[in-house]
Amino acid sequence: MTLIQALVIAILQGATELFPVSSLGHAVLLPALLHWPFNENDETFLPFLVMLHLGTSVALFVFFWRDWAAIFRGLFGFDNAQRRVESLKIIMLLVIATIPAIIVGGLFDHLLKHLFGAPLAAASFLILNGLLLLSVERLRGRIGADISDRPIASLTSRDALIIGCFQCLALFPGLSRSGATIAGGLLRGLHHDVAARFSFLMAEPVILAATAHQVMKMRHMTISHEQIQIGLIAAVVSGITALISTAALMRYFRNHDNWALAPFAYYCIAVGLGALAILGGAL
């Protein structure tokens, strides 16, 4: 992998990890469409992927540091009793929402892994991702009268579990983690900005857990100085891109609460169909 290729993938990762358009789907499709001569299933790609995830994780923590600070202040008793209860509940909700992905990912990782190198499958799932986003917006429109200004702390354990089950869809390349969890939040009565905030708070433990899992696989790998250098540069670029993307997306959701996912849905459908046409014609 060249530095230019690494930077392109880093920017793509930083932007699409948080936008509801599937970073993994784009990471599978782009090298295939551009005919880049490297294998994403090769073990030498793993350290690079770990660095990108760390960059994204740091960016999320930086953007939501006030949320995490408030949660831990309440958790350790620096605020009043009500805030402590709310903080404990939010931590519990995040744990519950994370459990389904850990279980399903652990059980079926070996079955789903072959899809990571399958561009046609990624393109198909990208289309399904767009259809999912549109379907959820349509369903939400029908139940609009029941939607209130629910804060995250108002979610129940059942709500968190359902949103966590939606997150499992992201195990398929082309189905977006943020898109699926925001969709789950919308169906539980949250507004777009609150659903996105909960989704991004959920992302921190998920990305860290996935990174830790990948690091364990790297224990006996020999990583060259050049790989480390490229990985560090890409991680910084990915983190900066993710920070900008998060700020833009949260502002967008605050100002748009009707059919806010629709533009991303149309984009996914168009890219998926275009990729199928190009890759299918090349077979």
Side-chain angles (χ1 to χ4, degrees):
M1 183 188 302
T2 66
L3 179 59
I4 296 299
Q5 291 171 339
L7 292 177
V8 171
I9 294 177
I11 293 171
L12 191 69
Q13 163 73 18
T16 58
E17 176 70 32
L18 304 168
F19 276 52
V21 295
S22 179
S23 61
L24 184 55
H26 283 72
V28 172
L29 283 176
L30 186 67
L33 291 172
L34 297 180
H35 304 291
W36 283 354
F38 64 84
N39 181 9
E40 292 173 303
N41 290 320
D42 192 287
E43 68 171 13
T44 58
F45 189 70
L46 184 59
F48 176 73
L49 194 63
V50 169
M51 296 303 292
L52 292 188
H53 282 163
L54 282 175
T56 304
S57 179
V58 170
L60 279 174
F61 185 79
V62 169
F63 188 85
F64 291 107
W65 73 269
R66 289 186 179 86
D67 296 72
W68 288 113
I71 290 171
F72 285 110
R73 274 202 315 270
L75 192 64
F76 292 111
F78 293 110
D79 290 329
N80 57 43
Q82 181 182 354
R83 185 61 192 172
R84 178 177 173 80
V85 171
E86 286 184 0
S87 296
L88 284 170
K89 184 176 182 182
I90 291 174
I91 291 292
M92 180 196 71
L93 292 172
L94 292 173
V95 170
I96 292 172
T98 305
I99 289 173
I102 292 176
I103 294 175
V104 176
L107 290 175
F108 300 105
D109 178 62
H110 62 291
L111 296 175
L112 296 168
K113 191 163 53 178
H114 71 280
L115 293 175
F116 294 173
L120 289 176
S124 300
F125 283 123
L126 202 60
I127 295 170
L128 289 178
N129 186 69
L131 295 176
L132 170 68
L133 299 182
L134 287 176
S135 298
V136 167
E137 288 287 18
R138 185 176 181 84
L139 285 172
R140 183 175 183 269
R142 291 181 177 179
I143 62 172
D146 299 326
I147 297 174
S148 59
D149 292 323
R150 295 185 66 185
I152 290 175
S154 72
L155 292 172
T156 64
S157 298
R158 183 169 180 266
D159 293 329
L161 185 62
I162 290 172
I163 295 171
C165 289
F166 269 84
Q167 182 167 239
C168 294
L169 295 174
L171 293 170
F172 297 92
L175 291 175
S176 166
R177 191 209 67 82
S178 64
T181 50
I182 291 172
L186 293 178
L187 293 180
R188 303 314 297 168
L190 299 178
H191 285 293
H192 286 83
D193 60 331
V194 181
R197 185 171 294 274
F198 186 62
S199 170
F200 295 155
L201 290 176
M202 284 173 62
E204 195 69 49
V206 170
I207 293 174
L208 288 177
T211 302
H213 178 64
Q214 292 163 349
V215 167
M216 291 298 291
K217 294 181 181 179
M218 292 165 48
R219 284 178 298 173
H220 306 296
M221 290 178 57
T222 301
I223 305 172
S224 69
H225 176 73
E226 184 182 6
Q227 283 178 299
I228 294 174
Q229 188 176 42
I230 289 177
L232 286 172
I233 295 172
V236 172
V237 172
S238 178
I240 293 172
T241 307
L243 194 60
I244 295 171
S245 299
T246 306
L249 197 59
M250 290 303 296
R251 177 175 295 182
Y252 170 77
F253 281 141
R254 281 195 297 270
N255 297 328
H256 302 81
D257 197 55
N258 292 320
W259 289 84
L261 295 178
F264 305 106
Y266 295 134
Y267 167 83
C268 289
I269 293 171
V271 170
L273 289 173
L276 282 179
I278 295 171
L279 295 173
L283 293 178

